Amino acid sequence: MKRFFAIIESPFTRAFLVGMIVLSFQTTLFNTLRPFSVVMQILLLCSAASGVAAGSESGAIAGFMFGFMYDMVLTSPFGLSALVFGFAGYMAGGVNTFAYSPRWWFKMLSVGISSAAAVLIYPAASLVVGVDGLLQTRVLGVALTVGLFNAVLALPAVALMRWALVKSKKQMLWAE
Amino acid sequence: MYSFTRRRLIVVLLLTSVLLLTLDRSESGLVGGVKDAFGVVFRPVERFANVVSRPLSNVWRGVLDYSDMRKENLALKDLLVKQEGAAIAATASVREAQELLALNGLPTLAGIDSVTAQVVGQSPSNFTQTFELNRGKSSGIRVGMTVTNGAGLVGKITGVTLERSVVMLATDPEYAMSVKVGACTRANTTTTSPPQTTTTLATDGSSTADTMVPGDGSTAPVTTVAPTTTTTTSTTSTTTTVLQRATTTTIKGFTPFATTLPPIPGGGGATQITVPESGVLLPRETGAMEGQGIDRLPVIRFIQSSSRLGELCAGVPVVTAGGSQSLAPADLVVGTVSRVVTRTGTSGPLLEVELAANLGSLNFVRVLLYQPATEIPQ
């Protein structure tokens, strides 16, 4: 029983549940809202926010998990989003460590830059696995828009992912 | 400094991704099974999110799209009025063509069963161009089947679950299809045309003979090569006219020969039928149409400029080529050529295609239950 509760309380179980809900809004609400004809990538936002909230390693794992879930609903090569989102989580965590005590704007910057980088890497990675035609100049506009949007929503996303991935002291005592 | 754990983690994630990509590219059934299982769990969550977020989506659409939608609505009303007459004529022509094909034992689109499905979602990605339909395996839909709407080709089925299917649009970079394209019918080509003889036998026994030119018969200038020999074999009823080949400098389009047959016994007037001659039909060349991604028109490659095909120009229709290895049955409307890009060397021209179907506003589509040979599992 204790083991069961430990699994339920596991950060990655929580992240998975958060991911399911976020994915459902990605495929519905955010699929409709397309500023400048660009689909907002909130799963990518959560991946980058995970890195900022819980560090590079946790960001990479959470990003990989979110990307894997995203791959389930896409027809693009399976595993590509997992790879790119994992990279985004890892990069966001890495950028955030440049500041000793990162201020709110630095977190926004970390999330925005890593999101834009992930959008740029995606078509390049797809080219490597044999999917031609995605690497176009339009990608720059998409990366800029997604980066800006994710930077704006970075702070609530970081708070959400901190809740999901970082155990509080109270919870750790209870688990023991 | 990278710790061992950190390095190991990165390596594990990278290897897992590579493994997943390999499984996917090798078309392993495992990936499809996992996606199906995830879909079963995820679908109720998505439905709930859809209900919750619909008011917000509607507000967004209402605020941003209202004025555009009004303008579009007025434009569509005008267009509808113009198209009504043309549609009736087109329907009659299509029916005639289908009857002719059926009479000759040739396959037609009318002989292929289809399923109507509604678009219930689209890809949340900025890179892939797919739509989700509310019909799946239970309706007979399989991977590879062609999707059309009232206007023309839309795409093909790339994924199917029991109640859902995914359509890859014709503009997706991964989409390719063999198509046929004809030469343009501009009036600046010099062509030698066979003669056209119209013979009318009226009920009173007298007959007349006349020469016509293919195309716009009323306006096209004609140069008829003399002489014309007329032999009268009977004083009352028969006149045989023998003409040499007529050479024309201007031909507009193709108008089949008009031949008036002898009157039906008991009938009051003459019966007219059209008999096309194979030498007059415009030749068509086969090429490969490939999607180019969002906001870009598909292009046709591997078309060769040849004297047989004639000049390529914008506006000519593009239809599917068909054939045993093709993804779609023959003569399905794809669109029209919007631009011809001339390339040097042996690469041949590149044709941009304006699709007949408006892929930006799909609602109901038709899935042709025609599975190409290449997509049937061995």
Side-chain angles (χ1 to χ4, degrees):
Chain A
M1 197 64 176
K2 198 174 176 182
R3 194 181 173 84
F4 175 74
F5 278 113
I7 292 169
I8 293 289
E9 275 293 311
S10 155
F12 290 103
T13 308
R14 279 203 246 179
F16 174 77
L17 294 174
V18 167
M20 283 288 272
I21 294 164
V22 171
L23 179 63
S24 67
F25 282 102
Q26 174 75 70
T27 56
T28 54
L29 178 66
F30 288 91
N31 207 2
T32 313
L33 319 182
R34 294 181 177 220
F36 313 111
S37 303
V38 172
V39 183
M40 299 292 96
Q41 300 296 322
I42 52 166
L43 267 174
L44 179 60
L45 166 70
C46 288
S47 303
S50 303
V52 172
S56 292
E57 292 90 344
S58 297
I61 296 171
F64 184 86
M65 190 167 71
F66 292 150
F68 185 76
M69 290 162 79
Y70 202 28
D71 277 327
M72 295 284 188
V73 298
L74 293 180
T75 52
S76 54
F78 194 67
L80 197 62
S81 300
L83 183 69
V84 173
F85 284 22
F87 165 79
Y90 189 81
M91 184 183 170
V95 171
N96 204 42
T97 54
F98 279 115
Y100 173 67
S101 177
R103 303 285 298 272
W104 59 270
W105 57 267
F106 197 80
K107 290 176 183 172
M108 288 171 73
L109 200 68
S110 304
V111 171
I113 287 173
S114 52
S115 298
V119 173
L120 290 173
I121 284 170
Y122 188 91
S126 64
L127 195 66
V128 174
V129 297
V131 180
D132 201 1
L134 301 184
L135 205 57
Q136 301 167 359
T137 48
R138 179 181 172 273
V139 174
L140 293 172
V142 173
L144 190 68
T145 314
V146 170
L148 280 173
F149 176 82
N150 285 5
V152 168
L153 284 183
L155 296 181
V158 168
L160 176 71
M161 293 322 297
R162 186 178 293 124
W163 171 81
L165 293 173
V166 183
K167 275 187 175 180
S168 65
K169 281 181 183 172
K170 192 179 162 188
Q171 280 175 327
M172 284 192 279
L173 286 170
W174 185 80
E176 283 163 10
Chain B
M1 233 358 226
Y2 279 179
S3 67
F4 177 70
T5 317
R6 180 183 284 197
R7 237 183 289 174
R8 194 168 57 180
L9 169 77
I10 293 164
V11 169
V12 167
L13 290 183
L14 270 172
L15 286 178
T16 312
S17 298
V18 171
L19 177 70
L20 292 173
L21 283 165
T22 311
L23 281 173
D24 184 60
R25 299 319 269 179
S26 62
E27 294 177 359
S28 159
L30 184 70
V31 173
V34 171
K35 280 187 175 180
D36 285 354
F38 184 82
V40 171
V41 178
F42 177 64
R43 205 69 66 198
V45 183
E46 188 184 42
R47 214 169 288 143
F48 174 74
N50 197 23
V51 171
V52 171
S53 64
R54 195 175 295 149
L56 206 58
S57 303
N58 290 344
V59 169
W60 176 270
R61 281 190 185 140
V63 169
L64 291 183
D65 300 343
Y66 180 72
S67 57
D68 288 344
M69 217 166 272
R70 256 179 76 89
K71 280 181 198 164
E72 193 184 357
N73 192 24
L74 289 171
L76 285 173
K77 277 179 183 169
D78 285 346
L79 192 66
L80 186 65
V81 172
K82 286 178 192 167
Q83 291 293 319
E84 269 174 358
I88 294 164
T91 308
S93 300
V94 167
R95 190 165 297 167
E96 278 178 16
Q98 285 172 352
E99 282 171 8
L100 278 171
L101 288 168
L103 276 171
N104 289 291
L106 296 169
T108 70
L109 285 176
I112 299 169
D113 289 336
S114 64
V115 171
T116 303
Q118 189 176 15
V119 175
V120 289
Q122 67 183 105
S123 169
S125 165
N126 281 305
F127 300 106
T128 51
Q129 291 173 279
T130 54
F131 276 97
E132 197 171 62
L133 304 179
N134 66 346
R135 298 288 184 94
K137 275 179 194 164
S138 59
S139 303
I141 297 174
R142 299 287 181 271
V143 169
M145 287 181 171
T146 304
V147 182
T148 67
N149 71 353
L153 181 77
V154 168
K156 67 169 184 176
I157 301 286
T158 53
V160 193
T161 59
L162 199 62
E163 293 298 336
R164 296 284 173 110
S165 50
V166 177
V167 183
M168 178 192 282
L169 296 183
T171 48
D172 193 284
E174 285 202 83
Y175 188 88
M177 166 74 70
S178 60
V179 294
K180 283 187 287 191
V181 60
C184 63
T185 55
R186 234 178 246 163
N188 54 1
T189 52
T190 302
T191 315
T192 302
S193 112
Q196 293 182 34
T197 307
T198 303
T199 307
T200 307
L201 266 88
T203 47
D204 60 355
S206 65
S207 68
T208 56
D210 197 6
T211 304
M212 291 176 69
V213 171
D216 187 353
S218 60
T219 55
V222 185
T223 308
T224 307
V225 180
T228 301
T229 309
T230 304
T231 309
T232 305
T233 55
S234 166
T235 52
T236 54
S237 62
T238 310
T239 303
T240 308
T241 305
V242 180
L243 288 175
Q244 288 189 358
R245 292 179 75 83
T247 307
T248 63
T249 51
T250 308
I251 293 172
K252 286 187 177 177
F254 162 68
T255 300
F257 305 132
T259 303
T260 306
L261 291 181
I264 302 163
T271 308
Q272 199 168 54
I273 61 163
T274 54
V275 184
E277 198 168 286
S278 59
V280 183
L281 288 170
L282 288 171
R284 292 197 290 184
E285 196 68 52
T286 305
M289 188 184 80
E290 295 167 358
Q292 296 293 299
I294 299 168
D295 299 334
R296 293 175 74 181
L297 297 174
V299 296
I300 303 175
R301 298 179 200 278
F302 311 123
I303 292 273
Q304 290 298 322
S305 296
S306 64
S307 53
R308 190 187 77 84
L309 181 63
E311 191 188 355
L312 292 163
C313 65
V316 294
V318 179
V319 295
T320 53
S324 61
Q325 297 295 311
S326 178
L327 287 173
D331 294 326
L332 196 65
V333 175
V334 175
T336 53
V337 172
S338 66
R339 196 162 71 99
V340 180
V341 182
T342 313
R343 297 187 294 179
T344 54
T346 54
S347 48
L350 205 64
L351 312 180
E352 282 186 354
V353 182
E354 184 77 55
L355 294 176
N358 181 5
L359 303 185
S361 58
L362 292 172
N363 188 12
F364 285 96
V365 293
R366 199 158 65 105
V367 182
L368 300 181
L369 300 182
Y370 166 91
Q371 197 173 22
T374 50
E375 300 289 341
I376 296 170
Q378 298 300 315

